[in-house]
Amino acid sequence: TLRNSQGWNSNWIAAGGTLTLQNGARFINRGIFNLSTHIGSWTGTPGTLFHNESTGRFVHDTSSSTTLAVPFHNDGILEVRAGTLNFSSSYTGTGGVAASNGAKLTLPLSSTSLGLLPSSIQTIGAGSEITANLPNGDKLIALEANGGRLVAAGGGNMVAAGGGNILSHNGGVLVAAGGMNMVAAGGGNITVVGLNSRIEVSGRLVAAGGGYV
């Protein structure tokens, strides 16, 4: 097991190099892990895991494109500040997710249990983009397009309730694709603020049980 409890960056890995977890190995991040250099290949054999714990912050801060082919569990913060980050293995965890400064992120969540989805997904700034492919069922995720473009795809309902609001502002575009409904309930709000901000819904937009649209 490899543990980081402080602040690491990836300059100990040669540019374009390979990072491989095998034989059930785990990378435990409890501090800040800044992916600041290009990693050509990041893979893991069955039984391995990258665990970003509740105190952890995983930051993608390289202009290159990175694909993590290792199971990733996020209980802390996943932040993409530059370049493109993709996951080709499983992604789980209720930690927050954000993309800023024109960075791009794809989250493969269609096989993730509803109770292990991110608690919040946020784009910040023009050009930033997150695409989250979600499972069927009722999903309680705070969504914010603060500039940029946030696409949530999948069947069922995206529910704003109990403070988990859905917000598009500062020119942000929030898209519910694949027939997904957006539902404001239980004190939750679905809000669009500002010029060029919008929410695009392929299913229905619903206010119910004390929710507001």
Side-chain angles (χ1 to χ4, degrees), residues 121-124 142-147 150 165-169 174:
I121 302 176
Q122 182 185 36
T123 58
I124 307 169
L143 300 178
E144 181 182 0
N146 181 3
L150 173 53
N165 296 317
I166 296 172
L167 171 64
S168 178
H169 60 134
L174 203 159

Side-chain angles (χ1 to χ4, degrees), residues 150-199:
L150 173 53
V151 180
N157 300 318
M158 180 65 69
V159 182
N165 296 317
I166 296 172
L167 171 64
S168 178
H169 60 134
N170 292 328
V173 178
L174 203 159
V175 181
M180 184 185 297
N181 305 312
M182 282 196 172
V183 180
N189 300 312
I190 300 176
T191 307
V192 179
V193 180
L195 185 67
N196 297 324
S197 302
R198 65 183 188 271
I199 294 178

